[in-house]
Amino acid sequence: MNGSVVAYEPKEGAIQATIPYSFAGREEIDLCSFHFISDPPEVLFRCEALTKLPGPTSPPFCWKPGCISGPRQRARMASFQDALGWTPAETDEDKKWVQILLH
């Protein structure tokens, strides 16, 4: 992975970096934010695709128009987490199925 640090706040334990990747023959870039917590030792991170979807509609759960959200983004974040050797704070055993009734 080749990335570039674009912002660094050592007092706040925060770093922002751009991380390039290839998808469907296109070169794209994610802007990732990392917040390091010392007690307990954890890293919170989020990534936003800088490539926006064309058109006026956005997928569900997007904060910004044209964002990219879905399995592709989640799979890339999971592989990123694995490459760094980070384990998720939530395991499959912690998850609980809850039925939601819609009327």
Side-chain angles (χ1 to χ4, degrees):
M1 279 187 236
N2 293 327
S4 300
V5 173
V6 294
Y8 175 55
E9 296 292 333
K11 290 182 182 178
E12 297 177 21
I15 296 174
Q16 274 195 330
T18 55
I19 300 174
Y21 62 95
S22 295
F23 178 76
R26 295 187 317 251
E27 294 299 314
E28 298 184 13
I29 298 174
D30 277 348
L31 175 63
C32 297
S33 302
F34 303 90
H35 185 78
F36 295 85
I37 301 171
S38 59
D39 189 25
E42 293 180 329
V43 179
L44 305 174
F45 71 98
R46 65 177 286 280
C47 291
E48 173 185 349
L50 294 181
T51 304
K52 304 299 179 200
L53 292 173
T57 61
S58 294
F61 308 109
C62 284
W63 293 103
K64 296 181 180 180
C67 81
I68 298 172
S69 174
R72 169 176 83 143
Q73 190 86 0
R74 287 189 295 278
R76 196 168 54 257
M77 293 302 95
S79 67
F80 179 73
Q81 201 172 350
D82 290 343
L84 294 173
W86 294 348
T87 56
E90 179 186 75
T91 64
D92 287 337
E93 291 81 29
D94 296 332
K95 296 177 184 174
K96 180 181 175 187
W97 184 82
V98 178
Q99 184 175 6
I100 300 174
L101 299 175
L102 301 174
H103 296 270

